[in-house]
Amino acid sequence: MLFTEDHSYPVLHYIKALLCSLVFVDNPGNMLNLGLGSGAIERYLESHHPDIALTSIEPEVEMIALSKECFYLDSSYHVRNQSAESFLHDNRQQFDLIICDIHCPPGQPNPIETDAFLHNLTDALLPQGVVAINFLAESEAHIVNMLVRLRQIFEQVTLLDVLRQQNIVFYCSNSQFPEPSELTMKAALPVYANIQAETIISQLIWLPE
């Protein structure tokens, strides 16, 4: 979906939730986006956080073309045509923020549900880094299984149940998250208004240690 009056505005609620990972990290310098989609993350950052160096990964050539031809992603923007798992396997760079929004055909296993992929995610994070994962839940048991897997690999995990959708967004880190009160204050800043950060942060589900 695209808001024609402001191409940088992220229409879908789960995209706003993924972008709320910005609230968790002070002055992020670089971000990795695994899964270009229509380029909503890229358009938002270019408009509102141009100081963040963004690396975008997308395995489908057709999707890269569509994002530029139909969804106003800058035609000169460089997207690496590679799968997320192959990029992480070979990657030696570390990032302040990683957004992971990977969709697979029905019946095909999603790499985000494998320990190898998740361990590679942790290796790609800077010590204070945060990864936001969009998870399409099939059932409550599916959510619980994913949550257990994440808690075994990441020291900190919180989540958002996206209203009226099957999406669960997990926020994960190997460093202590800021206090909820600190996140709430930061989310209220005008720079985060377009992603409704204040509302999203207030709806996070905080897990016991």
Side-chain angles (χ1 to χ4, degrees), residues 8-71:
S8 73
Y9 180 76
V11 179
L12 297 174
H13 195 63
Y14 82 89
I15 295 292
K16 293 185 177 80
L18 290 170
L19 284 165
C20 268
S21 58
L22 290 161
V23 180
F24 284 81
V25 178
D26 289 331
N27 302 315
N30 61 359
M31 178 186 287
L32 172 66
N33 184 24
L34 300 172
L36 175 72
S38 65
I41 301 293
E42 286 71 14
R43 293 193 307 273
Y44 178 83
L45 288 180
E46 182 181 26
S47 179
H48 298 278
H49 300 275
D51 53 320
I52 298 177
L54 178 61
T55 300
S56 302
I57 309 298
E58 172 56 49
E60 300 294 335
V61 173
E62 295 85 354
M63 187 59 71
I64 298 172
L66 282 171
S67 68
K68 296 182 177 183
E69 294 170 7
C70 303
F71 289 93

Short mmCIF file of all heavy atoms in Angstrom, two decimals, residues 8-71:
data_model
loop_
_atom_site.label_atom_id
_atom_site.label_comp_id
_atom_site.label_asym_id
_atom_site.label_seq_id
_atom_site.Cartn_x
_atom_site.Cartn_y
_atom_site.Cartn_z
N SER A 8 6.51 8.78 1.66
CA SER A 8 7.34 8.30 2.76
C SER A 8 6.52 7.76 3.93
O SER A 8 7.07 7.14 4.84
CB SER A 8 8.25 9.43 3.27
OG SER A 8 7.51 10.40 4.00
N TYR A 9 5.20 7.99 3.90
CA TYR A 9 4.37 7.59 5.04
C TYR A 9 4.14 6.08 5.02
O TYR A 9 3.62 5.54 4.03
CB TYR A 9 3.03 8.32 5.00
CG TYR A 9 2.11 7.95 6.14
CD1 TYR A 9 2.32 8.45 7.41
CD2 TYR A 9 1.03 7.08 5.95
CE1 TYR A 9 1.50 8.11 8.47
CE2 TYR A 9 0.20 6.73 7.00
CZ TYR A 9 0.44 7.25 8.26
OH TYR A 9 -0.38 6.90 9.31
N PRO A 10 4.48 5.36 6.08
CA PRO A 10 4.28 3.91 6.12
C PRO A 10 2.83 3.59 6.47
O PRO A 10 2.38 3.78 7.60
CB PRO A 10 5.25 3.45 7.21
CG PRO A 10 5.40 4.63 8.11
CD PRO A 10 5.18 5.87 7.28
N VAL A 11 2.08 3.10 5.52
CA VAL A 11 0.64 2.89 5.71
C VAL A 11 0.35 1.70 6.62
O VAL A 11 -0.47 1.79 7.54
CB VAL A 11 -0.06 2.68 4.35
CG1 VAL A 11 -1.56 2.44 4.54
CG2 VAL A 11 0.17 3.89 3.44
N LEU A 12 1.01 0.59 6.38
CA LEU A 12 0.68 -0.64 7.10
C LEU A 12 1.19 -0.58 8.55
O LEU A 12 2.30 -0.15 8.82
CB LEU A 12 1.29 -1.84 6.38
CG LEU A 12 0.75 -2.07 4.96
CD1 LEU A 12 1.52 -3.19 4.27
CD2 LEU A 12 -0.74 -2.43 5.01
N HIS A 13 0.34 -1.07 9.45
CA HIS A 13 0.66 -0.96 10.88
C HIS A 13 1.90 -1.77 11.25
O HIS A 13 2.69 -1.34 12.09
CB HIS A 13 -0.53 -1.40 11.72
CG HIS A 13 -0.44 -0.99 13.15
ND1 HIS A 13 -0.42 0.33 13.54
CD2 HIS A 13 -0.35 -1.71 14.30
CE1 HIS A 13 -0.32 0.41 14.86
NE2 HIS A 13 -0.27 -0.82 15.35
N TYR A 14 2.07 -2.93 10.62
CA TYR A 14 3.25 -3.72 10.99
C TYR A 14 4.55 -3.07 10.50
O TYR A 14 5.61 -3.27 11.11
CB TYR A 14 3.12 -5.17 10.51
CG TYR A 14 3.48 -5.42 9.06
CD1 TYR A 14 4.79 -5.72 8.69
CD2 TYR A 14 2.51 -5.39 8.07
CE1 TYR A 14 5.12 -5.95 7.37
CE2 TYR A 14 2.84 -5.63 6.74
CZ TYR A 14 4.13 -5.91 6.41
OH TYR A 14 4.47 -6.14 5.10
N ILE A 15 4.48 -2.29 9.41
CA ILE A 15 5.65 -1.55 8.97
C ILE A 15 5.99 -0.47 9.99
O ILE A 15 7.17 -0.26 10.34
CB ILE A 15 5.42 -0.92 7.58
CG1 ILE A 15 5.25 -2.01 6.52
CG2 ILE A 15 6.58 -0.01 7.21
CD1 ILE A 15 6.48 -2.82 6.23
N LYS A 16 4.97 0.22 10.49
CA LYS A 16 5.20 1.20 11.57
C LYS A 16 5.86 0.52 12.76
O LYS A 16 6.79 1.06 13.38
CB LYS A 16 3.89 1.85 12.00
CG LYS A 16 3.21 2.74 10.98
CD LYS A 16 1.99 3.39 11.60
CE LYS A 16 1.30 4.36 10.66
NZ LYS A 16 0.44 3.68 9.67
N ALA A 17 5.36 -0.67 13.10
CA ALA A 17 5.91 -1.39 14.25
C ALA A 17 7.37 -1.77 14.04
O ALA A 17 8.20 -1.65 14.95
CB ALA A 17 5.07 -2.63 14.53
N LEU A 18 7.72 -2.22 12.84
CA LEU A 18 9.12 -2.54 12.54
C LEU A 18 9.99 -1.30 12.66
O LEU A 18 11.10 -1.35 13.21
CB LEU A 18 9.23 -3.13 11.14
CG LEU A 18 8.65 -4.53 10.94
CD1 LEU A 18 8.62 -4.89 9.46
CD2 LEU A 18 9.45 -5.58 11.72
N LEU A 19 9.48 -0.17 12.18
CA LEU A 19 10.24 1.08 12.25
C LEU A 19 10.38 1.58 13.69
O LEU A 19 11.29 2.36 13.98
CB LEU A 19 9.58 2.15 11.39
CG LEU A 19 9.81 2.00 9.87
CD1 LEU A 19 8.83 2.86 9.09
CD2 LEU A 19 11.24 2.36 9.52
N CYS A 20 9.52 1.12 14.58
CA CYS A 20 9.65 1.52 15.99
C CYS A 20 10.91 0.98 16.64
O CYS A 20 11.26 1.38 17.76
CB CYS A 20 8.42 1.07 16.78
SG CYS A 20 7.13 2.33 16.84
N SER A 21 11.62 0.08 15.96
CA SER A 21 12.92 -0.35 16.47
C SER A 21 13.86 0.85 16.60
O SER A 21 14.80 0.83 17.39
CB SER A 21 13.53 -1.40 15.54
OG SER A 21 13.66 -0.90 14.21
N LEU A 22 13.60 1.92 15.83
CA LEU A 22 14.41 3.14 15.93
C LEU A 22 14.38 3.72 17.33
O LEU A 22 15.36 4.35 17.77
CB LEU A 22 13.88 4.19 14.95
CG LEU A 22 14.10 3.93 13.45
CD1 LEU A 22 13.15 4.79 12.62
CD2 LEU A 22 15.54 4.20 13.08
N VAL A 23 13.28 3.53 18.04
CA VAL A 23 13.13 4.12 19.38
C VAL A 23 14.06 3.43 20.38
O VAL A 23 14.46 4.04 21.38
CB VAL A 23 11.66 4.03 19.83
CG1 VAL A 23 11.47 4.64 21.20
CG2 VAL A 23 10.75 4.72 18.81
N PHE A 24 14.44 2.19 20.10
CA PHE A 24 15.22 1.41 21.07
C PHE A 24 16.70 1.79 21.09
O PHE A 24 17.39 1.47 22.05
CB PHE A 24 15.10 -0.09 20.75
CG PHE A 24 13.79 -0.71 21.14
CD1 PHE A 24 12.67 -0.57 20.33
CD2 PHE A 24 13.67 -1.44 22.32
CE1 PHE A 24 11.46 -1.15 20.68
CE2 PHE A 24 12.48 -2.02 22.69
CZ PHE A 24 11.36 -1.88 21.85
N VAL A 25 17.20 2.40 20.01
CA VAL A 25 18.64 2.63 19.88
C VAL A 25 18.90 4.13 19.74
O VAL A 25 18.29 4.79 18.90
CB VAL A 25 19.22 1.88 18.66
CG1 VAL A 25 20.70 2.17 18.50
CG2 VAL A 25 18.97 0.38 18.79
N ASP A 26 19.80 4.65 20.55
CA ASP A 26 20.17 6.07 20.45
C ASP A 26 21.11 6.30 19.27
O ASP A 26 22.14 5.64 19.14
CB ASP A 26 20.86 6.53 21.74
CG ASP A 26 19.88 6.62 22.91
OD1 ASP A 26 18.68 6.88 22.68
OD2 ASP A 26 20.32 6.42 24.06
N ASN A 27 20.74 7.22 18.42
CA ASN A 27 21.58 7.65 17.30
C ASN A 27 22.12 6.48 16.47
O ASN A 27 23.34 6.32 16.32
CB ASN A 27 22.77 8.49 17.82
CG ASN A 27 22.31 9.71 18.59
OD1 ASN A 27 21.40 10.43 18.15
ND2 ASN A 27 22.92 9.94 19.75
N PRO A 28 21.23 5.66 15.94
CA PRO A 28 21.72 4.54 15.11
C PRO A 28 22.43 5.05 13.87
O PRO A 28 21.98 6.00 13.22
CB PRO A 28 20.42 3.80 14.73
CG PRO A 28 19.34 4.83 14.86
CD PRO A 28 19.76 5.72 15.98
N GLY A 29 23.55 4.42 13.54
CA GLY A 29 24.32 4.84 12.39
C GLY A 29 24.03 4.04 11.14
O GLY A 29 24.13 4.55 10.03
N ASN A 30 23.68 2.76 11.34
CA ASN A 30 23.41 1.93 10.16
C ASN A 30 22.31 0.92 10.46
O ASN A 30 22.09 0.52 11.60
CB ASN A 30 24.67 1.24 9.66
CG ASN A 30 25.29 0.32 10.69
OD1 ASN A 30 24.80 0.19 11.81
ND2 ASN A 30 26.37 -0.35 10.31
N MET A 31 21.62 0.52 9.40
CA MET A 31 20.49 -0.40 9.52
C MET A 31 20.54 -1.38 8.35
O MET A 31 20.93 -1.03 7.24
CB MET A 31 19.16 0.37 9.51
CG MET A 31 17.92 -0.53 9.57
SD MET A 31 16.34 0.37 9.38
CE MET A 31 16.24 1.18 10.97
N LEU A 32 20.11 -2.59 8.63
CA LEU A 32 19.98 -3.64 7.62
C LEU A 32 18.51 -3.98 7.48
O LEU A 32 17.83 -4.25 8.48
CB LEU A 32 20.77 -4.88 8.05
CG LEU A 32 20.61 -6.14 7.20
CD1 LEU A 32 21.16 -5.93 5.79
CD2 LEU A 32 21.30 -7.33 7.87
N ASN A 33 18.00 -3.97 6.24
CA ASN A 33 16.61 -4.35 5.98
C ASN A 33 16.60 -5.62 5.15
O ASN A 33 16.95 -5.61 3.97
CB ASN A 33 15.86 -3.23 5.25
CG ASN A 33 14.39 -3.57 5.05
OD1 ASN A 33 13.83 -4.37 5.80
ND2 ASN A 33 13.76 -2.97 4.05
N LEU A 34 16.17 -6.71 5.76
CA LEU A 34 16.09 -8.00 5.09
C LEU A 34 14.67 -8.19 4.56
O LEU A 34 13.76 -8.56 5.30
CB LEU A 34 16.45 -9.12 6.06
CG LEU A 34 17.86 -9.05 6.66
CD1 LEU A 34 18.03 -10.10 7.76
CD2 LEU A 34 18.92 -9.24 5.58
N GLY A 35 14.48 -7.89 3.29
CA GLY A 35 13.16 -7.98 2.67
C GLY A 35 12.67 -6.61 2.25
O GLY A 35 12.09 -5.88 3.05
N LEU A 36 12.88 -6.25 1.00
CA LEU A 36 12.56 -4.90 0.52
C LEU A 36 11.07 -4.63 0.48
O LEU A 36 10.62 -3.54 0.84
CB LEU A 36 13.17 -4.72 -0.87
CG LEU A 36 12.85 -3.42 -1.60
CD1 LEU A 36 13.59 -2.25 -0.95
CD2 LEU A 36 13.22 -3.53 -3.08
N GLY A 37 10.29 -5.62 0.03
CA GLY A 37 8.87 -5.37 -0.18
C GLY A 37 8.67 -4.25 -1.19
O GLY A 37 9.33 -4.21 -2.24
N SER A 38 7.78 -3.32 -0.87
CA SER A 38 7.54 -2.18 -1.78
C SER A 38 8.47 -1.01 -1.50
O SER A 38 8.32 0.06 -2.11
CB SER A 38 6.08 -1.73 -1.65
OG SER A 38 5.83 -1.23 -0.34
N GLY A 39 9.41 -1.18 -0.57
CA GLY A 39 10.36 -0.10 -0.27
C GLY A 39 9.88 0.87 0.78
O GLY A 39 10.40 1.99 0.88
N ALA A 40 8.88 0.49 1.58
CA ALA A 40 8.32 1.40 2.59
C ALA A 40 9.36 1.83 3.61
O ALA A 40 9.42 2.99 4.01
CB ALA A 40 7.13 0.75 3.29
N ILE A 41 10.19 0.88 4.07
CA ILE A 41 11.24 1.20 5.04
C ILE A 41 12.22 2.19 4.42
O ILE A 41 12.61 3.19 5.05
CB ILE A 41 11.98 -0.09 5.47
CG1 ILE A 41 11.03 -1.11 6.10
CG2 ILE A 41 13.14 0.26 6.41
CD1 ILE A 41 10.43 -0.71 7.41
N GLU A 42 12.62 1.93 3.19
CA GLU A 42 13.60 2.77 2.51
C GLU A 42 13.07 4.18 2.30
O GLU A 42 13.79 5.17 2.52
CB GLU A 42 13.98 2.14 1.17
CG GLU A 42 14.87 0.91 1.28
CD GLU A 42 14.19 -0.33 1.84
OE1 GLU A 42 12.92 -0.35 1.91
OE2 GLU A 42 14.89 -1.28 2.21
N ARG A 43 11.82 4.30 1.85
CA ARG A 43 11.25 5.63 1.61
C ARG A 43 11.13 6.42 2.91
O ARG A 43 11.40 7.62 2.95
CB ARG A 43 9.88 5.51 0.94
CG ARG A 43 9.92 4.95 -0.48
CD ARG A 43 8.59 5.14 -1.20
NE ARG A 43 7.46 4.63 -0.44
CZ ARG A 43 7.03 3.37 -0.48
NH1 ARG A 43 7.64 2.49 -1.27
NH2 ARG A 43 5.99 2.98 0.22
N TYR A 44 10.75 5.74 3.98
CA TYR A 44 10.61 6.43 5.27
C TYR A 44 11.96 6.94 5.77
O TYR A 44 12.08 8.10 6.19
CB TYR A 44 9.97 5.50 6.30
CG TYR A 44 9.86 6.15 7.67
CD1 TYR A 44 8.80 6.99 7.98
CD2 TYR A 44 10.85 5.95 8.63
CE1 TYR A 44 8.71 7.60 9.22
CE2 TYR A 44 10.77 6.56 9.86
CZ TYR A 44 9.70 7.38 10.15
OH TYR A 44 9.63 8.01 11.37
N LEU A 45 12.96 6.09 5.75
CA LEU A 45 14.27 6.49 6.27
C LEU A 45 14.88 7.60 5.42
O LEU A 45 15.49 8.53 5.96
CB LEU A 45 15.22 5.30 6.32
CG LEU A 45 14.93 4.25 7.39
CD1 LEU A 45 15.97 3.14 7.32
CD2 LEU A 45 14.93 4.86 8.78
N GLU A 46 14.73 7.52 4.11
CA GLU A 46 15.29 8.55 3.24
C GLU A 46 14.69 9.92 3.58
O GLU A 46 15.39 10.94 3.55
CB GLU A 46 15.02 8.21 1.79
CG GLU A 46 15.61 9.23 0.81
CD GLU A 46 15.31 8.88 -0.63
OE1 GLU A 46 14.30 8.19 -0.89
OE2 GLU A 46 16.08 9.31 -1.50
N SER A 47 13.41 9.94 3.93
CA SER A 47 12.73 11.19 4.21
C SER A 47 12.97 11.69 5.63
O SER A 47 13.14 12.89 5.85
CB SER A 47 11.23 11.04 3.96
OG SER A 47 10.53 12.22 4.24
N HIS A 48 12.96 10.78 6.60
CA HIS A 48 12.96 11.19 8.01
C HIS A 48 14.28 10.93 8.75
O HIS A 48 14.53 11.58 9.76
CB HIS A 48 11.81 10.48 8.75
CG HIS A 48 10.46 10.82 8.22
ND1 HIS A 48 9.78 11.97 8.58
CD2 HIS A 48 9.66 10.18 7.33
CE1 HIS A 48 8.62 12.01 7.96
NE2 HIS A 48 8.53 10.95 7.19
N HIS A 49 15.09 10.01 8.25
CA HIS A 49 16.37 9.69 8.92
C HIS A 49 17.44 9.47 7.86
O HIS A 49 18.05 8.39 7.79
CB HIS A 49 16.23 8.45 9.81
CG HIS A 49 15.21 8.57 10.89
ND1 HIS A 49 15.49 9.15 12.11
CD2 HIS A 49 13.90 8.22 10.92
CE1 HIS A 49 14.40 9.12 12.87
NE2 HIS A 49 13.44 8.58 12.17
N PRO A 50 17.72 10.48 7.04
CA PRO A 50 18.69 10.30 5.96
C PRO A 50 20.11 10.07 6.45
O PRO A 50 20.99 9.66 5.67
CB PRO A 50 18.58 11.61 5.18
CG PRO A 50 18.07 12.62 6.18
CD PRO A 50 17.15 11.84 7.08
N ASP A 51 20.36 10.32 7.75
CA ASP A 51 21.69 10.12 8.30
C ASP A 51 21.98 8.65 8.59
O ASP A 51 23.14 8.29 8.85
CB ASP A 51 21.85 10.93 9.60
CG ASP A 51 20.73 10.65 10.59
OD1 ASP A 51 19.57 10.51 10.16
OD2 ASP A 51 21.01 10.58 11.81
N ILE A 52 20.97 7.79 8.55
CA ILE A 52 21.18 6.37 8.80
C ILE A 52 21.54 5.67 7.50
O ILE A 52 20.82 5.75 6.50
CB ILE A 52 19.91 5.72 9.41
CG1 ILE A 52 19.58 6.35 10.76
CG2 ILE A 52 20.10 4.21 9.56
CD1 ILE A 52 18.30 5.81 11.39
N ALA A 53 22.68 5.00 7.49
CA ALA A 53 23.10 4.23 6.31
C ALA A 53 22.32 2.92 6.26
O ALA A 53 22.38 2.13 7.20
CB ALA A 53 24.60 3.96 6.39
N LEU A 54 21.59 2.71 5.19
CA LEU A 54 20.70 1.56 5.08
C LEU A 54 21.20 0.59 4.01
O LEU A 54 21.50 0.99 2.88
CB LEU A 54 19.28 2.02 4.74
CG LEU A 54 18.22 0.93 4.53
CD1 LEU A 54 18.04 0.11 5.82
CD2 LEU A 54 16.89 1.56 4.10
N THR A 55 21.26 -0.69 4.38
CA THR A 55 21.55 -1.76 3.43
C THR A 55 20.28 -2.58 3.24
O THR A 55 19.70 -3.06 4.21
CB THR A 55 22.67 -2.68 3.97
OG1 THR A 55 23.86 -1.90 4.17
CG2 THR A 55 22.97 -3.81 3.00
N SER A 56 19.84 -2.72 1.98
CA SER A 56 18.59 -3.42 1.67
C SER A 56 18.87 -4.70 0.90
O SER A 56 19.63 -4.69 -0.07
CB SER A 56 17.67 -2.51 0.85
OG SER A 56 17.39 -1.31 1.54
N ILE A 57 18.22 -5.79 1.33
CA ILE A 57 18.41 -7.10 0.72
C ILE A 57 17.07 -7.61 0.20
O ILE A 57 16.07 -7.59 0.93
CB ILE A 57 18.96 -8.11 1.75
CG1 ILE A 57 20.20 -7.55 2.48
CG2 ILE A 57 19.26 -9.45 1.09
CD1 ILE A 57 21.36 -7.24 1.59
N GLU A 58 17.03 -8.05 -1.04
CA GLU A 58 15.79 -8.57 -1.64
C GLU A 58 16.15 -9.65 -2.66
O GLU A 58 16.88 -9.39 -3.61
CB GLU A 58 15.00 -7.44 -2.30
CG GLU A 58 13.81 -7.88 -3.11
CD GLU A 58 12.81 -8.71 -2.32
OE1 GLU A 58 12.43 -8.30 -1.21
OE2 GLU A 58 12.43 -9.79 -2.81
N PRO A 59 15.60 -10.86 -2.51
CA PRO A 59 15.96 -11.95 -3.42
C PRO A 59 15.24 -11.91 -4.77
O PRO A 59 15.69 -12.55 -5.72
CB PRO A 59 15.58 -13.21 -2.64
CG PRO A 59 14.45 -12.77 -1.76
CD PRO A 59 14.77 -11.35 -1.38
N GLU A 60 14.12 -11.20 -4.86
CA GLU A 60 13.32 -11.21 -6.08
C GLU A 60 13.61 -9.98 -6.94
O GLU A 60 13.33 -8.85 -6.53
CB GLU A 60 11.83 -11.27 -5.74
CG GLU A 60 11.42 -12.50 -4.94
CD GLU A 60 11.57 -13.78 -5.74
OE1 GLU A 60 11.53 -13.72 -6.99
OE2 GLU A 60 11.75 -14.85 -5.11
N VAL A 61 14.14 -10.21 -8.14
CA VAL A 61 14.43 -9.11 -9.06
C VAL A 61 13.16 -8.34 -9.40
O VAL A 61 13.15 -7.11 -9.48
CB VAL A 61 15.08 -9.65 -10.35
CG1 VAL A 61 15.24 -8.54 -11.38
CG2 VAL A 61 16.43 -10.28 -10.04
N GLU A 62 12.04 -9.08 -9.56
CA GLU A 62 10.78 -8.43 -9.91
C GLU A 62 10.32 -7.47 -8.82
O GLU A 62 9.76 -6.41 -9.11
CB GLU A 62 9.69 -9.49 -10.16
CG GLU A 62 9.96 -10.38 -11.36
CD GLU A 62 10.85 -11.57 -11.04
OE1 GLU A 62 11.36 -11.63 -9.89
OE2 GLU A 62 11.05 -12.42 -11.93
N MET A 63 10.54 -7.82 -7.57
CA MET A 63 10.14 -6.95 -6.47
C MET A 63 10.96 -5.67 -6.45
O MET A 63 10.44 -4.58 -6.18
CB MET A 63 10.27 -7.68 -5.13
CG MET A 63 9.71 -6.90 -3.95
SD MET A 63 7.96 -6.51 -4.12
CE MET A 63 7.25 -8.14 -3.88
N ILE A 64 12.23 -5.79 -6.73
CA ILE A 64 13.08 -4.59 -6.79
C ILE A 64 12.58 -3.66 -7.89
O ILE A 64 12.45 -2.44 -7.69
CB ILE A 64 14.56 -4.99 -7.04
CG1 ILE A 64 15.08 -5.84 -5.87
CG2 ILE A 64 15.42 -3.75 -7.22
CD1 ILE A 64 16.46 -6.43 -6.12
N ALA A 65 12.26 -4.23 -9.04
CA ALA A 65 11.77 -3.42 -10.15
C ALA A 65 10.44 -2.77 -9.82
O ALA A 65 10.22 -1.57 -10.08
CB ALA A 65 11.64 -4.28 -11.40
N LEU A 66 9.51 -3.51 -9.22
CA LEU A 66 8.20 -2.97 -8.87
C LEU A 66 8.31 -1.83 -7.86
O LEU A 66 7.59 -0.83 -7.95
CB LEU A 66 7.30 -4.07 -8.31
CG LEU A 66 6.66 -5.02 -9.32
CD1 LEU A 66 5.98 -6.17 -8.61
CD2 LEU A 66 5.67 -4.27 -10.20
N SER A 67 9.20 -1.98 -6.88
CA SER A 67 9.34 -0.94 -5.85
C SER A 67 9.78 0.38 -6.46
O SER A 67 9.40 1.46 -5.98
CB SER A 67 10.33 -1.38 -4.77
OG SER A 67 11.65 -1.45 -5.29
N LYS A 68 10.56 0.31 -7.54
CA LYS A 68 11.05 1.52 -8.19
C LYS A 68 10.07 2.05 -9.25
O LYS A 68 9.90 3.25 -9.41
CB LYS A 68 12.42 1.26 -8.81
CG LYS A 68 13.49 0.93 -7.77
CD LYS A 68 14.87 0.71 -8.38
CE LYS A 68 15.91 0.47 -7.31
NZ LYS A 68 17.27 0.33 -7.85
N GLU A 69 9.40 1.13 -9.95
CA GLU A 69 8.51 1.54 -11.03
C GLU A 69 7.12 1.96 -10.54
O GLU A 69 6.48 2.82 -11.15
CB GLU A 69 8.37 0.39 -12.03
CG GLU A 69 9.66 0.07 -12.76
CD GLU A 69 9.56 -1.22 -13.57
OE1 GLU A 69 8.45 -1.77 -13.66
OE2 GLU A 69 10.60 -1.66 -14.10
N CYS A 70 6.66 1.34 -9.45
CA CYS A 70 5.28 1.56 -9.00
C CYS A 70 5.15 2.18 -7.62
O CYS A 70 4.10 2.70 -7.27
CB CYS A 70 4.51 0.23 -9.01
SG CYS A 70 4.50 -0.61 -10.60
N PHE A 71 6.21 2.09 -6.79
CA PHE A 71 6.11 2.55 -5.41
C PHE A 71 7.09 3.66 -5.08
O PHE A 71 7.38 3.91 -3.91
CB PHE A 71 6.27 1.37 -4.45
CG PHE A 71 5.10 0.43 -4.46
CD1 PHE A 71 5.10 -0.68 -5.29
CD2 PHE A 71 4.00 0.66 -3.67
CE1 PHE A 71 4.02 -1.55 -5.31
CE2 PHE A 71 2.92 -0.20 -3.68
CZ PHE A 71 2.92 -1.31 -4.51
#
